[in-house]
Amino acid sequence: MTGEVIDQRAIARLLEVTGGDPEFLQEMIEEFDNTAPGLVESMRQAAMAGDLDRLRISAHTLKSNSREFGAFTLGTLCETLEHACRDGMLAEPGTIIAEIHREVDMARSALAQLQLSHE
Amino acid sequence: MNELGTATVATGQAQARVLVVDDNNLNRMKMRRAVENLGHAADVAEDGARAIEMLRSQPYDAVLLDIVMPEVDGFEVLDFLKHDEDLRDIPVIVISSLDDETESVVRAIELGAEDFLPKNFDPVLLKARLGASLTKKRYRDQEREYFRRIKRLTKAAEVLESGRFNPDSLGLDDIAGRNDPLGHLANVFRGMAAEIYQREMKLERAIQALQGSFLAIAVGLVWGLTPALSRMASGAGANPLGLAVWVNAIAAAFCLSVAAYRRKLPRLGLSEFTFYFGWAILAGMLQRMTTFIVTEHVEAAMLSMIVTLQGFMVFSFSAVTGLERASPRRLLGLIVGLIGVTAVLLTRFDLAHASQSGWLLFAMLLPLLFAIEALVLDGKRPEHIDTFASVGIMMALSTLMLLPIAYSTGKLMPLDLHVVRLDVLVVLMGIVGASSLLLAFHLVSTAGAVFYSQSAYTMTIAGVVWGMLLLNEQLSAVAWVGFAIIVAGMYLVEPRAREGELLIHRSFTAR
């Protein structure tokens, strides 16, 4: 499973869209690395405060960002949370947020290794 | 349409300005770089409110819009754009993860979005969709510009129809400056309007000069009657001060009656009263007193010459203050007029005898007072008040000022109905005085102070003519030449040009 945390084809597509510049890709990975934990924290606070709107937007953003780098498992978890918020069907946000947290950490380390393989 | 413009439209390759709207920083980074890679300039907005602000303040050729955003979302931005007359043609491409947002995409397209892109789009797809949108936008821009120019030309035609031919009023300068068929049309249009306008302006000025000259001659003729009538009145036993009181009173009664009959009697405010009071002191008291004193010491012909200095005084004042156009041509006109007057007077009087030195200097006070009067009337008269009422009020006030002086010095002769000739003369003088002031007032307001001051010439001449008619004096050929020279001077001085645009009467209707 660990080898499939991120999809290499997504990374290649991202590189192509942004003009094939590895340095810029590196910048984007850093941006993901910097913002993803904050998004998880934001989800946690929103869940505690019962702010479904904020929870939904945070899940939407993280979904979009994780898919950008091919972290599809993380993306699907975020999508599930987003839809649950949208439909008002959220029973246990704590469980799924904990899962998301775990997947974020895995994606970050996978992306860090990717960075190494580039160098 | 120039060839270069056509070429860029056809390929859609020219650099465009694209606005990327997304609350997600990572997406903004990616989209900006992707757009820049296609050779366009990209700006980013981090939320809907900021996007609307930027769209309002800067021109964009396309918008790449995220739908899900906090506060103001993509739908609201789209709604704003499509309801703005100037911004509705900017193509919007919605960026959306198709898998779960199909409904959003459909709604966005219904709201007027041009196209959509999935979030994980292929760069070739971005290039194709953005390129197609930009091409359409450029065609629409050209179309809009074309219709805008057609509208401006139509508007200019309406301006012409309303009789305004001044090329500046048509507002076609920028269109006419372009080297294309519409520019050529605008050029022809504007050029023809300009030609007609120039022609009509010339005609208008000629008519104005002619009207002004007739009026100046009329003022002179009527005013010039006064000395002759005065001499006749003196012969009938009237003294100047008493005569002035009666003449002013009758003139006031005449003017105010006419104003009352026309229901034009005004209510005076303080500033208007101050104006008439000042005018009465100037015309009723100062001018009259100075005339009384000067006529006793300076020969009549010399005085006539001195009074004509009025024109030069008004001209200098206007030149210094910029009140009226002070061109060399107008100055030349005044000088020509003076030569004419001199020519006429030379045929009748021996100026060599006129050596009253000190009194001559004092006599210059008279044209100065006339000049001040002309300038005050030109600049300060209350324009909403009827001419008859204005002259009547001034005459009434000056009568009230002179009355106590005449009464206390015993100069106020009773008007005895048995002395028929004097009574008739006084009434005649009153009406003559009023008429001349009415004409003068009208002339100042239509032709300006400088042109008006030439009535001093015609007054002098008229004095001579009336003397000839009433007292059977002979007039030499040189005098007639002098008259002609004065009229030539008037042509040179020209009445003040009317302010504002000339409206041309048109005899055909397009519809």
Side-chain angles (χ1 to χ4, degrees):
Chain A
M1 282 291 284
T2 45
E4 293 166 29
V5 171
I6 57 168
D7 185 333
Q8 289 292 335
R9 281 171 301 176
I11 298 287
R13 188 188 48 78
L14 189 54
L15 195 60
E16 193 193 347
V17 166
T18 52
D21 178 1
E23 267 179 50
F24 186 72
L25 180 67
Q26 184 59 45
E27 271 177 49
M28 290 185 69
I29 289 172
E30 274 162 27
E31 171 69 16
F32 178 79
D33 202 45
N34 291 335
T35 53
L39 283 168
V40 175
E41 182 53 32
S42 170
M43 286 178 193
R44 210 168 262 140
Q45 284 174 10
M48 281 205 295
D51 186 346
L52 283 190
D53 212 42
R54 190 174 151 205
L55 186 53
R56 179 179 60 86
I57 299 252
S58 296
H60 175 82
T61 305
L62 191 55
K63 174 191 74 176
S64 160
N65 290 358
S66 52
R67 283 178 177 166
E68 208 67 82
F69 294 102
F72 291 120
T73 315
L74 177 55
T76 309
L77 281 171
C78 291
E79 186 177 17
T80 309
L81 180 58
E82 186 191 357
H83 286 184
C85 289
R86 191 189 60 197
D87 304 335
M89 304 275 282
L90 195 62
E92 276 291 327
T95 321
I96 192 166
I97 291 172
E99 267 183 80
I100 288 173
H101 193 175
R102 207 167 44 243
E103 283 294 329
V104 162
D105 286 346
M106 286 165 71
R108 286 171 69 197
S109 61
L111 285 171
Q113 281 167 20
L114 180 79
Q115 180 187 335
L116 284 173
S117 75
H118 265 284
E119 287 170 357
Chain B
M1 210 177 293
N2 61 49
E3 280 178 42
L4 192 69
T6 319
T8 41
V9 161
T11 58
Q13 289 303 312
Q15 202 206 34
R17 260 189 99 183
V18 179
L19 179 65
V20 172
V21 187
D22 203 315
D23 61 319
N24 184 341
N25 188 34
L26 200 64
N27 282 347
R28 289 201 298 274
M29 285 173 80
K30 181 186 80 170
M31 296 305 301
R32 163 182 267 177
R33 183 55 75 101
V35 168
E36 284 172 354
N37 266 332
L38 294 177
H40 303 301
D43 283 344
V44 294
E46 65 277 6
D47 58 53
R50 175 84 188 119
I52 288 175
E53 199 184 307
M54 291 171 80
L55 285 162
R56 271 203 186 116
S57 57
Q58 299 159 62
Y60 286 102
D61 300 306
V63 179
L64 293 173
L65 182 66
D66 180 32
I67 292 292
V68 183
M69 290 186 287
E71 315 287 340
V72 180
D73 67 12
F75 293 128
E76 286 174 78
V77 175
L78 202 50
D79 195 55
F80 161 78
L81 277 176
K82 296 304 161 187
H83 283 95
D84 187 298
E85 185 63 38
D86 296 322
L87 302 178
R88 60 165 27 127
D89 285 335
I90 300 179
V92 176
I93 298 176
V94 168
I95 310 288
S96 156
S97 43
L98 241 196
D99 47 350
D100 59 355
E101 289 178 32
T102 316
E103 272 175 43
S104 300
V105 171
V106 171
R107 190 174 157 208
I109 287 176
E110 280 170 358
L111 277 171
E114 182 80 28
D115 209 340
F116 77 95
L117 269 180
K119 280 210 167 145
N120 53 349
F121 58 83
D122 195 287
V124 182
L125 201 58
L126 173 69
K127 187 180 177 183
R129 296 202 173 161
L130 191 58
S133 292
L134 288 172
T135 303
K136 264 194 229 172
K137 163 76 164 33
R138 288 201 187 97
Y139 273 127
R140 247 173 299 183
D141 281 353
Q142 287 198 345
E143 207 175 60
R144 266 173 78 110
E145 171 63 14
Y146 183 78
F147 281 120
R148 194 185 62 81
R149 285 156 66 197
I150 294 275
K151 211 167 156 183
R152 292 263 302 280
L153 276 169
T154 317
K155 189 98 196 151
E158 278 169 22
V159 170
L160 278 191
E161 266 197 304
S162 73
R164 295 171 58 204
F165 278 62
N166 186 346
D168 295 339
S169 301
L170 300 179
L172 291 176
D173 290 5
D174 53 329
I175 297 179
R178 293 170 67 138
N179 187 22
D180 57 20
L182 277 187
H184 185 62
L185 181 61
N187 244 327
V188 171
F189 205 60
R190 199 182 52 167
M192 289 178 74
E195 247 172 56
I196 293 172
Y197 191 66
Q198 293 301 332
R199 214 176 297 154
E200 291 280 334
M201 286 272 277
K202 261 188 204 161
L203 195 65
E204 166 84 3
R205 292 198 68 77
I207 291 170
Q208 261 188 330
L210 213 59
Q211 279 175 341
S213 302
F214 274 122
L215 215 51
I217 289 168
V219 169
L221 280 178
V222 179
W223 222 320
L225 259 178
T226 311
L229 290 176
S230 297
R231 258 174 280 160
M232 291 164 88
S234 300
N239 70 75
L241 187 58
L243 194 61
V245 173
W246 281 115
V247 166
N248 284 5
I250 287 165
F254 169 70
C255 288
L256 290 176
S257 307
V258 173
Y261 176 74
R262 297 169 59 191
R263 297 184 186 282
K264 292 270 177 69
L265 278 185
R267 239 171 245 209
L268 293 189
L270 184 65
S271 66
E272 286 136 5
F273 184 79
T274 313
F275 167 80
Y276 289 116
F277 190 75
W279 187 17
I281 288 188
L282 197 64
M285 300 272 291
L286 295 177
Q287 285 176 6
R288 205 167 286 278
M289 292 303 179
T290 314
T291 310
F292 286 163
I293 298 169
V294 168
T295 42
E296 281 176 30
H297 296 92
V298 178
E299 202 204 331
M302 186 46 97
L303 189 57
S304 301
M305 293 289 292
I306 290 172
V307 168
T308 55
L309 289 176
Q310 177 196 346
F312 294 93
M313 289 175 175
V314 173
F315 182 83
S316 322
F317 185 84
S318 296
V320 170
T321 58
L323 191 74
E324 262 189 65
R325 193 169 48 90
S327 63
R329 173 185 160 147
R330 299 190 88 185
L331 183 62
L332 180 69
L334 287 174
I335 294 170
V336 166
L338 185 64
I339 293 170
V341 173
T342 314
V344 175
L345 291 178
L346 273 176
T347 63
R348 290 178 45 82
F349 303 105
D350 184 4
L351 290 180
H353 286 185
S355 52
Q356 297 101 335
S357 57
W359 284 111
L360 287 183
L361 220 58
F362 182 78
M364 292 200 184
L365 197 58
L366 207 54
L368 183 64
L369 288 170
F370 283 131
I372 293 172
E373 184 186 14
L375 289 164
V376 168
L377 282 188
D378 192 15
K380 299 275 187 205
R381 75 176 181 284
E383 290 181 27
H384 56 283
I385 293 179
D386 178 59
T387 307
F388 280 91
S390 286
V391 172
I393 291 164
M394 189 281 279
M395 283 294 204
L397 285 174
S398 66
T399 307
L400 292 178
M401 288 174 193
L402 291 174
L403 189 61
I405 305 170
Y407 188 77
S408 60
T409 53
K411 297 273 172 67
L412 189 68
M413 72 284 188
L415 272 199
D416 190 344
L417 284 176
H418 299 297
V419 193
V420 177
R421 191 172 169 217
L422 181 58
D423 297 343
V424 171
L425 271 178
V426 167
V427 171
L428 196 60
M429 284 176 76
I431 291 171
V432 163
S435 311
S436 56
L437 265 173
L438 289 168
L439 287 170
F441 197 87
H442 184 64
L443 183 59
V444 168
S445 54
T446 51
V450 173
F451 192 85
Y452 160 73
S453 60
Q454 292 186 109
S455 55
Y457 298 159
T458 56
M459 223 186 297
T460 303
I461 301 307
V464 174
V465 171
W466 285 120
M468 182 182 77
L469 289 176
L470 297 177
L471 307 169
N472 284 328
E473 289 158 349
Q474 295 299 312
L475 207 59
S476 75
V478 180
W480 289 108
V481 174
F483 293 164
I485 293 175
I486 289 170
V487 172
M490 283 184 178
Y491 173 75
L492 288 173
V493 172
E494 284 189 318
R496 174 178 51 198
R498 203 173 46 171
E499 281 167 30
E501 190 182 341
L502 173 67
L503 283 185
I504 296 173
H505 177 71
R506 297 172 39 265
S507 51
F508 78 93
T509 40
R511 268 168 278 206

